[in-house]
Amino acid sequence: MITAELQKGWAKSLLEAAGSAPAPWLEELRSSAGALIDGLPLVNRKQEAWRYTNVEPLLKESFQPVVERPSGYPGEVPEAITPHRLVFVDGWFMPELSDTALLPEEVTCGSLNDAIAAGDERVKNRLGSVADPGEHLFTALNTALVNDGLFLHLPAGVKLESPVELFWLNSGGETPLLAQPRNLVILEPGAEAVLVEHHLPGEGERYLHNGLTEIVLDPGAKLDHYRVQDESEQAWHFSRIVLDQGSDSRYHGITLAFGGHLARTEYNGLFTAEGAHCTLRGLYTVGDDQLQDFHLDVRHDVPHCSSREQFKGLLYGKGRAVFDGRILVAKDAQKSDAELTNDNLLLTRNAEVDTKPQLEIYADDVKASHGTTVGQLEANQVFYLRARGIDEQKAVHMLCEGFAAEIIEHIHLETLREQALARLRQTLGNL
Amino acid sequence: MSTQRELDDLVKAGYEHGFVTEVESETLPPGLNEDTIRFISAKKNEPEWMLEYRLKAYRHWLTLEEPDWAHLQHDPIDYQAISYYSAPKKAGDGPKSLDEVDPELIETYNKLGIPLEEQKALAGVAVDAVFDSVSVATTFREELAKAGVIFCSISEAVHEYPELVKKYLGSVVPHTDNFFACLNAAVFSDGTFVYIPEGVRCPMELSTYFRINEAKTGQFERTLIVADKGAYVSYLEGCTAPMRDENQLHAAVVELIALEDAKIKYSTVQNWYPGDEKGRGGIYNFVTKRGDCRGDRSHISWTQVETGSAITWKYPSCILSGDDSVGEFYSVAVTRGYQQADTGTKMYHIGRNTRSTIVSKGISAAHGQNAYRGLVRMGPKAENARNHTQCDSLLIGDQCGAHTFPYIEVRNPTAKVEHEATTSKISEDQLFYCRQRGLSEEDAVSMIVNGFCKEVFNELPMEFAVEARKLLNITLEGAVG
Amino acid sequence: MLTIKNLHVNVDGKEILRGLDLEIGTGEVHAIMGPNGSGKSTLSYVLAGRDGYEVTEGEVIFAGKNLLEMEPEERAWAGIFLAMQYPVELPGVNNMSFLRESVNAVRRARGEEELDAIAFMKLVRERAELVKLPEKLLKRSVNAGFSGGEKKRNEILQMALLEPKLTILDEIDSGLDIDALRTVAEGVNALRSPERSFLMITHYQRLLDYIEPDHIHVLAHGRIVRSGGKELALELEEKGYGWILEEEAAA
């Protein structure tokens, strides 16, 4: 059972090891978030957001926060698909492993900690303005321990031709480490970028990644944001992405979740002006000893915005998945258009899924729908393939790939699409 | 678009059943303690085991907190300000032949369209009439007795059929189930008991008509229906109350038990007083309804048309324990004025090849808030179980809300669950099309809304379907411009 | 090529085929006709090996082998092709990849070399032309969102690619207009050869105007109740199935 003592004690031990902040204003932000922790509700079954997700074993683990930039990285850095490569180890930006030389001069792309230390006003103005640290224990913890992460800023009208690619690696070692990057992405009016994130174990096996990303899209800005979560099988992974979308901005987000022991991805979308559009897609695979947990909360607070949420899961072994998606259309947010779907394929006997697609609608002139399915592969589809000479195993793989293709085909980068497909095949090959 | 006048018409569209019957009643002063429970039990001359059951529930209730998870807002309910027992004096102790019943009461039911004299009654429908805390009359008892069907008030059943009551009461909804069910177990005053023996197809529709009359009272009825092996029964429930400024609490419990090959069809037309246009008054309707498909191939079907009450909190559910058992839930819920509804169902698939169907139609108008909340759970042994859920919401006006909160839990890969939900409004195009073909706007709305609800109305017994359609039309009068 | 002896088949515990006998020689074209519910589709699924069809009695020998012991894909490798009445949609599964996977699986099983991407493309284009299947349909998901005619043409394309020994056409004419029917029939006729046999299952005589059978059988109540040449179809067209059923009842 998660008691107040357990939760507070766990957080306290981490906060004590926080280290100093690079600027006084950040110290304030940190301590105000730290002060919230004692008053937060327990992350247990009684809270809707944690109804199906048990983090008790996590709170019984001790972790060492990484409060300084690691001096180096013992492992190899994977190959990038673009010229703009940023490598982070245990949540810290590693300049000597990264390459941002070819980015246009007016673009800021690099360490959040460096930007704060250099007195960057843009960070000071926006950091913490999008994400509510009091959302739950892990968001408060991230804010109370802010050190480093990505700071990406594109001035008005700048359109990046190549994607910016991030590699999140872990250095490993005896004590399980806590990496807890804080990312801030600001696209000024009309700016456009593609961001690709790879969350990889690196040298780590047992660690906790607790990331929080704030994204500000000014009017007309466009961001394609691909995330491949392929953490180690023993890792805990929490990611929260919070969006603040201005008029006519467009966010296109895809998360492919393959790894982790317990991995939770949260998207929180907010439209602040009319005409914005947001698509959130996800593909997850879970096997033995794995839980993939997705939480979406998309708020249509203003009229004439649209959102699409489409998540698909393949479950096998004793894998478990949780999907909790909510679309809220506020009063007067007329002409909102929202569609939420979650489909799950159970490939084996002991896989389990809990799904909860919700609509909260307070305006009448809206289009809103959701659909959910849970089931096995269709017997007649398997038969059709077999009747064409394809053996049963191959038929199952093809159908699973077909199921996943509806997400993967929305990746607009060919190399990444191929990587995703290859990674999926690797998982299917182990079935 | 709607003009102010039309909106005014809407909120004033009358509540037909808002009259008060002038009848002398014996009413317990407000308040709840063990003495209240002893009083109710003594009043009904109950055996000791029944009193013990009530006290056990009451003591447990004291440890519970009122649930707050539903999408509802209301002032706190003061459980000490409610009277827990009220009965018309002339009702006396227990049932009598109809000519002994107070003519005022018979007239009340006549006015509500429920004649109690058998010769005037709807053909093929037997009625148990519950007035505040007591059953005042039960019709067609003799004819039913010939078929072996027991149809009586629950107070009577406690005396006449104690073994059946002991065996089944609380076996589907235990007193520990939830706050309101627990309160009901402690203070329930009357309700209906039905037993259909093995292999019997009940020769007529059974129904209970609930009427709250007295001010400041709560109604806590308890219904228990048992269909033995291969039996069939269709049961209808109707409810109304006078218009009053204060909120009144109704916390009922309904338990259904279907043994092997039995089928129970339970239909409700709920039209408790919904409150006035400002949201004053109205019934708080916190009801626990659950059916247990205990036997293989058993079948329980819930149909509800919810147009009344200031607040509706109810989730008629099915426990599908028997292999090949079937659970169904068909619902139309209308909220207008300041009405709030948080309603839906739970389908627990336990046995193999169990099937469930959920069709929920929510209509929100004016300031109404309408939430569907449902659970579909496929247990590890529910081989080849199937569920299909369709939740549709219709919004009329821009001040109302429609919400969907489904929970889907799957522990068996051979089970298949499909859930769909849509939200829409009556489009200008639809209205224009109908009007261009000569329909008045009101008729067009009524036609479109009835079409929207058709799947549910089709499940109601004929007389009720007609009634439900009429009720829906009255409820939505002038709702759209 | 195919010998069916005294075949009894249950579906959901109900007997659908009740002692069916049929002999199809190499290079022959047979048509099975019969009223709705006579067991026509059951026969096609049993031959292709679909689950849920329980053979309680009888045997099916195909090219010297016991067909009933084989898995569906083994039957496909052996040269049985079922063109389905309602081809299954496979959302997300690319039609071209599916066709290639299928062709190469069959080629592997026959000890032939697999086709590389270029050779395969060439082959598909050529055969697609034959059945007038628009090339854009090759890039879409298998049958997903195809019209009725497009689905049937996709079936015939698969047949043309897999070059089966025995093709079963289950109500290939259902839901097709005359033009589509003609295209489909042309595809089938183009593949007719002394090595290939066909079994057409149909409710209507119309199809037989386009694909001429050598033998016609009438299936009723789970058995072949009458066999004959082309003239039998004309008789059926004229008098319906009633007279045969009556004669059968009288006998």
Side-chain angles (χ1 to χ4, degrees):
Chain A
M1 205 178 72
I2 295 174
T3 59
E5 197 188 352
L6 177 66
Q7 177 165 326
K8 286 185 205 169
W10 185 76
K12 196 167 163 237
S13 69
L14 294 168
L15 292 184
E16 276 166 359
S20 63
W25 68 265
L26 188 69
E27 194 61 60
E28 259 173 58
L29 182 71
R30 279 187 181 190
S31 55
S32 66
L36 289 174
I37 287 178
D38 280 359
L40 287 174
L42 300 179
V43 283
N44 63 14
R45 270 190 69 91
K46 285 188 185 154
Q47 271 200 74
E48 277 299 307
W50 301 90
R51 186 184 175 92
Y52 298 111
T53 312
N54 180 13
V55 291
E56 189 184 345
L58 169 65
L59 301 189
K60 290 188 169 159
E61 283 291 316
S62 48
F63 296 94
Q64 178 68 46
V66 182
V67 296
E68 277 178 357
R69 179 167 290 150
S71 54
Y73 177 65
E76 291 228 355
V77 177
E79 216 174 301
I81 58 174
T82 80
H84 317 309
R85 178 184 72 181
L86 285 84
V87 176
F88 295 80
V89 174
D90 304 328
W92 287 82
F93 177 63
M94 304 294 280
E96 65 280 10
L97 300 175
S98 306
D99 188 353
T100 55
L102 293 175
L103 281 167
E105 223 168 85
E106 63 271 29
V107 171
T108 312
C109 180
S111 160
L112 182 84
N113 189 289
D114 291 355
I116 294 169
D120 196 314
E121 286 292 311
R122 296 168 303 186
V123 179
K124 190 178 167 187
N125 291 339
R126 294 315 299 252
L127 194 76
S129 71
V130 181
D132 170 13
E135 180 68 27
H136 54 61
L137 175 65
F138 298 94
T139 49
L141 191 66
N142 179 286
T143 308
L145 289 169
V146 173
N147 258 321
D148 202 9
L150 168 76
F151 175 50
L152 173 66
H153 179 274
L154 268 69
V158 173
K159 295 176 181 167
L160 287 185
E161 278 174 24
S162 310
V164 171
E165 201 173 7
L166 314 180
F167 291 90
W168 301 97
L169 306 171
N170 300 278
S171 61
E174 288 298 301
T175 326
L177 298 179
L178 165 63
Q180 63 120 47
R182 178 67 168 236
N183 308 310
L184 177 62
V185 175
I186 302 171
L187 268 58
E188 287 193 351
E192 291 180 16
V194 177
L195 193 58
V196 180
E197 292 186 56
H198 302 272
H199 291 270
L200 299 165
E203 301 295 300
E205 264 185 25
R206 207 172 167 75
Y207 53 89
L208 167 60
H209 177 103
N210 179 31
L212 182 53
T213 302
E214 294 179 279
I215 297 176
V216 180
L217 299 182
D218 283 342
K222 289 180 182 170
L223 180 67
D224 283 3
H225 186 185
Y226 303 110
R227 308 175 63 256
V228 184
Q229 186 275 98
D230 202 0
E231 301 278 20
S232 113
E233 285 170 7
Q234 294 181 46
W236 288 272
H237 174 102
F238 291 78
S239 278
R240 184 173 174 86
I241 297 106
V242 188
L243 303 167
D244 179 331
Q245 287 192 251
S247 60
D248 300 310
S249 63
R250 200 208 66 192
Y251 178 84
H252 173 64
I254 297 187
T255 290
L256 307 173
F258 300 108
H261 162 63
L262 186 164
R264 179 169 170 121
T265 307
E266 303 178 352
Y267 279 104
N268 187 358
L270 179 67
F271 300 117
T272 55
E274 296 187 13
H277 178 62
C278 162
T279 64
L280 303 176
R281 288 192 169 85
L283 171 70
Y284 47 93
T285 65
V286 269
D288 284 347
D289 211 21
Q290 268 194 303
L291 169 68
Q292 296 286 4
D293 182 9
F294 280 85
H295 288 253
L296 316 180
D297 189 1
V298 178
R299 292 184 64 103
H300 288 254
D301 275 5
V302 291
H304 292 284
C305 291
S306 58
S307 70
R308 285 284 171 279
E309 291 79 21
Q310 183 188 22
F311 286 76
K312 303 188 91 170
L314 286 163
L315 293 88
Y316 56 93
K318 288 183 184 161
R320 279 197 58 211
V322 175
F323 178 85
D324 183 341
R326 181 176 79 144
I327 293 173
L328 185 143
V329 177
K331 193 167 161 270
D332 300 330
Q334 299 295 8
K335 304 284 179 195
S336 292
D337 183 347
E339 191 184 313
L340 167 68
T341 58
N342 174 232
D343 299 305
N344 297 280
L345 264 185
L346 304 182
L347 298 169
T348 54
R349 187 72 236 174
N350 295 310
E352 292 183 5
V353 64
D354 296 297
T355 166
K356 215 175 97 187
Q358 309 165 71
L359 296 175
E360 256 185 84
I361 314 286
Y362 296 90
D364 64 334
D365 192 6
V366 300
K367 269 202 262 179
S369 65
H370 70 221
T372 304
T373 61
V374 181
Q376 292 174 292
L377 287 173
E378 295 283 341
N380 63 346
Q381 294 184 338
V382 177
F383 169 72
Y384 188 74
L385 288 164
R386 293 178 73 189
R388 296 295 176 262
I390 296 165
D391 68 54
E392 192 169 359
Q393 194 191 15
K394 181 73 197 172
V396 168
H397 287 187
M398 284 176 76
L399 290 170
C400 289
E401 276 180 33
F403 178 81
E406 289 183 354
I407 301 298
I408 292 177
E409 72 188 15
H410 291 281
I411 300 176
H412 300 143
L413 304 172
E414 199 185 341
T415 319
L416 187 64
R417 203 163 53 230
E418 282 165 9
Q419 281 179 4
L421 196 59
R423 179 63 186 83
L424 175 68
R425 285 189 177 142
Q426 186 193 329
T427 296
L428 293 174
N430 294 334
L431 281 186
Chain B
M1 290 311 291
S2 41
T3 65
Q4 194 51 48
R5 193 187 53 75
E6 282 168 331
L7 280 173
D8 289 350
D9 286 351
L10 154 72
V11 291
K12 284 183 195 138
Y15 179 70
E16 274 191 310
H17 309 297
F19 64 90
V20 179
T21 305
E22 292 304 332
V23 59
E24 217 187 322
S25 284
E26 178 182 16
T27 303
L28 201 61
L32 179 58
N33 52 44
E34 291 203 3
D35 289 342
T36 319
I37 288 154
R38 287 177 201 283
F39 173 87
I40 295 169
S41 189
K43 198 73 204 159
K44 297 186 169 292
N45 203 14
E46 283 177 354
E48 188 62 22
W49 61 267
M50 199 63 240
L51 176 63
E52 282 310 312
Y53 179 85
R54 290 174 179 277
L55 288 172
K56 193 167 66 178
Y58 175 69
R59 286 165 196 153
H60 183 69
W61 182 75
L62 291 174
T63 69
L64 299 177
E65 276 177 45
E66 196 181 310
D68 62 354
W69 42 259
H71 198 275
L72 300 170
Q73 282 175 340
H74 58 85
D75 292 334
I77 299 169
D78 181 355
Y79 293 92
Q80 296 303 335
I82 297 168
S83 163
Y84 289 84
Y85 187 83
S86 175
K89 274 195 174 152
K90 288 182 196 162
D93 318 319
K96 298 182 171 134
S97 70
L98 208 59
D99 38 303
E100 290 174 73
V101 176
D102 186 339
E104 272 293 327
L105 294 179
I106 295 181
E107 186 46 34
T108 298
Y109 283 91
N110 278 337
K111 248 167 115 178
L112 294 169
I114 316 288
L116 298 178
E117 292 101 327
E118 294 187 4
Q119 58 277 24
K120 290 189 201 159
L122 282 171
V125 183
V127 179
D128 182 20
V130 177
F131 193 87
D132 288 332
S133 301
V134 291
S135 167
V136 292
T138 310
T139 64
F140 291 109
R141 295 161 58 111
E142 281 166 31
E143 200 173 326
L144 288 166
K146 277 183 220 156
V149 171
I150 302 170
F151 178 48
C152 64
S153 76
I154 195 120
S155 313
E156 223 182 320
V158 168
H159 291 284
E160 304 291 322
Y161 313 101
E163 290 316 309
L164 284 172
V165 174
K166 268 192 215 171
K167 184 170 176 189
Y168 292 111
L169 189 76
S171 74
V172 186
V173 181
H175 71 273
T176 50
D177 192 79
N178 70 68
F179 183 84
F180 297 104
C182 189
L183 177 63
N184 175 287
V187 303
F188 76 88
S189 39
D190 219 331
T192 307
F193 175 73
V194 176
Y195 175 80
I196 317 287
E198 187 169 340
V200 171
R201 191 180 167 87
C202 185
M204 57 179 78
E205 306 266 355
L206 304 184
S207 77
T208 302
Y209 197 90
F210 296 100
R211 174 74 177 169
I212 298 179
N213 188 63
E214 196 59 31
K216 297 195 169 61
T217 55
Q219 193 177 48
F220 306 92
E221 86 269 6
R222 184 109 198 171
T223 301
L224 175 59
I225 300 177
V226 182
D228 213 321
K229 290 176 190 170
Y232 168 84
V233 61
S234 168
Y235 178 89
L236 323 169
E237 169 196 55
C239 346
T240 56
M243 292 158 84
R244 294 189 190 282
D245 280 348
E246 84 267 19
N247 298 110
Q248 282 179 284
L249 179 65
H250 172 253
V253 171
V254 176
E255 296 178 279
L256 310 182
I257 294 127
L259 301 182
E260 271 167 49
D261 298 296
K263 176 167 181 181
I264 302 175
K265 193 169 165 53
Y266 193 107
S267 313
T268 304
V269 174
Q270 184 265 104
N271 188 27
W272 295 118
Y273 177 53
D276 68 8
E277 73 273 18
K278 298 258 167 49
R280 272 181 315 223
I283 302 291
Y284 286 175
N285 190 32
F286 291 90
V287 172
T288 305
K289 291 183 168 177
R290 195 175 303 148
D292 189 355
C293 282
R294 226 165 260 186
D296 293 349
R297 297 168 302 281
S298 54
H299 186 156
I300 288 179
S301 178
W302 297 101
T303 306
Q304 61 174 27
V305 176
E306 304 280 321
T307 58
S309 296
I311 286 179
T312 298
W313 177 103
K314 65 183 276 201
Y315 315 92
S317 304
C318 295
I319 301 168
L320 302 168
S321 327
D323 290 349
D324 301 290
S325 60
V326 177
E328 291 169 328
F329 175 74
Y330 298 93
S331 170
V332 166
V334 185
T335 53
R336 58 158 192 164
Y338 283 86
Q339 280 177 279
Q340 306 173 59
D342 193 298
T343 184
T345 183
K346 297 177 187 179
M347 293 290 176
Y348 299 94
H349 290 255
I350 296 166
R352 305 164 67 90
N353 298 317
T354 45
R355 301 266 185 281
S356 65
T357 303
I358 299 171
V359 177
S360 163
K361 305 280 179 178
I363 300 159
S364 315
H367 298 276
Q369 295 293 328
N370 208 323
Y372 166 81
R373 186 181 303 277
L375 168 72
V376 175
R377 178 179 292 162
M378 298 294 185
K381 290 180 184 149
E383 292 295 310
N384 295 313
R386 294 284 178 270
N387 163 267
H388 187 268
T389 302
Q390 178 74 44
C391 288
D392 298 317
S393 306
L394 191 67
L395 292 135
I396 303 176
D398 57 6
Q399 304 292 311
C400 52
H403 320 299
T404 321
F405 305 108
Y407 294 70
I408 297 157
E409 304 175 357
V410 183
R411 303 280 174 274
N412 186 309
T414 64
K416 191 167 173 179
V417 182
E418 290 170 331
H419 174 102
E420 290 173 73
T422 64
T423 303
S424 57
K425 65 170 205 163
I426 297 178
S427 77
E428 302 287 324
D429 288 351
Q430 288 171 316
L431 279 181
F432 173 73
Y433 185 82
C434 295
R435 296 174 75 184
Q436 210 285 317
R437 297 295 183 267
L439 289 169
S440 74
E441 188 165 23
E442 213 147 79
D443 287 348
V445 169
S446 146
M447 206 177 73
I448 293 166
V449 171
N450 270 296
F452 177 77
C453 300
K454 196 172 165 203
E455 275 173 276
V456 175
F457 288 164
N458 282 349
E459 293 298 318
L460 287 171
M462 182 97 93
E463 305 80 19
F464 259 45
V466 173
E467 197 58 36
R469 248 173 238 130
K470 249 169 47 192
L471 193 55
L472 189 68
N473 289 349
I474 293 167
T475 309
L476 292 172
E477 239 160 53
V480 174
Chain C
M1 175 161 302
L2 180 77
T3 309
I4 303 174
K5 276 188 195 152
N6 190 31
L7 186 65
H8 289 255
V9 175
N10 283 5
V11 180
D12 289 334
K14 200 177 150 217
E15 190 166 53
I16 305 291
L17 296 185
R18 311 165 182 205
L20 184 137
D21 295 296
L22 184 67
E23 177 87 45
I24 299 178
T26 305
E28 293 175 358
V29 177
H30 289 240
I32 289 192
M33 305 185 68
N36 288 327
S38 56
K40 299 193 300 291
S41 283
T42 297
L43 176 62
S44 64
Y45 282 132
V46 168
L47 294 179
R50 189 176 176 159
D51 276 351
Y53 295 82
E54 189 199 349
V55 176
T56 53
E57 217 183 317
E59 61 173 13
V60 180
I61 304 297
F62 176 68
K65 284 187 205 147
N66 180 355
L67 193 69
L68 299 178
E69 280 181 355
M70 295 157 77
E71 295 294 326
E73 59 268 35
E74 291 172 335
R75 301 183 198 207
W77 302 338
I80 289 206
F81 181 89
L82 168 63
M84 292 185 199
Q85 184 181 1
Y86 303 108
V88 178
E89 299 191 3
L90 305 176
V93 178
N94 176 273
N95 202 15
M96 189 68 105
S97 326
F98 159 71
L99 293 171
R100 190 170 161 204
E101 208 51 65
S102 165
V103 166
N104 280 335
V106 172
R107 291 180 71 95
R108 267 197 310 275
R110 291 179 187 161
E112 294 165 7
E113 208 155 297
E114 291 186 28
L115 295 177
D116 64 28
I118 298 163
F120 179 74
M121 284 286 273
K122 189 163 164 282
L123 181 70
V124 171
R125 289 226 171 91
E126 183 191 305
R127 301 285 155 94
E129 177 81 33
L130 185 77
V131 296
K132 299 197 173 63
L133 186 83
E135 205 171 316
K136 66 174 196 310
L137 295 185
L138 295 172
K139 292 177 187 153
R140 302 232 310 252
S141 294
V142 181
N143 295 330
F146 285 25
S147 71
E150 288 168 345
K151 282 182 183 169
K152 294 295 165 75
R153 269 180 259 177
N154 201 28
E155 293 290 282
I156 300 304
L157 170 64
Q158 293 169 35
M159 175 187 77
L161 287 166
L162 296 177
E163 300 181 340
K165 291 193 184 112
L166 172 66
T167 299
I168 305 157
L169 301 163
D170 188 2
E171 309 253 353
I172 194 76
D173 50 334
S174 73
L176 293 188
D177 61 30
I178 287 293
D179 287 338
L181 179 59
R182 193 174 287 136
T183 315
V184 165
E186 279 167 12
V188 172
N189 286 328
L191 279 168
R192 279 181 82 156
S193 82
E195 297 84 46
R196 269 193 250 292
S197 310
F198 290 84
L199 175 61
M200 288 188 278
I201 290 173
T202 181
H203 188 73
Y204 301 105
Q205 136 83 20
R206 188 177 75 153
L207 175 67
L208 310 185
D209 294 341
Y210 295 93
I211 309 171
E212 250 186 57
D214 305 310
H215 303 274
I216 293 178
H217 312 275
V218 177
L219 180 63
H221 310 306
R223 289 168 47 217
I224 303 281
V225 294
R226 166 109 21 153
S227 297
K230 274 169 282 189
E231 68 290 347
L232 182 59
L234 297 173
E235 221 173 327
L236 285 170
E237 176 82 340
E238 208 175 302
K239 303 192 200 163
Y241 292 107
W243 63 281
I244 293 187
L245 301 182
E246 275 162 31
E247 275 186 30
E248 183 65 11

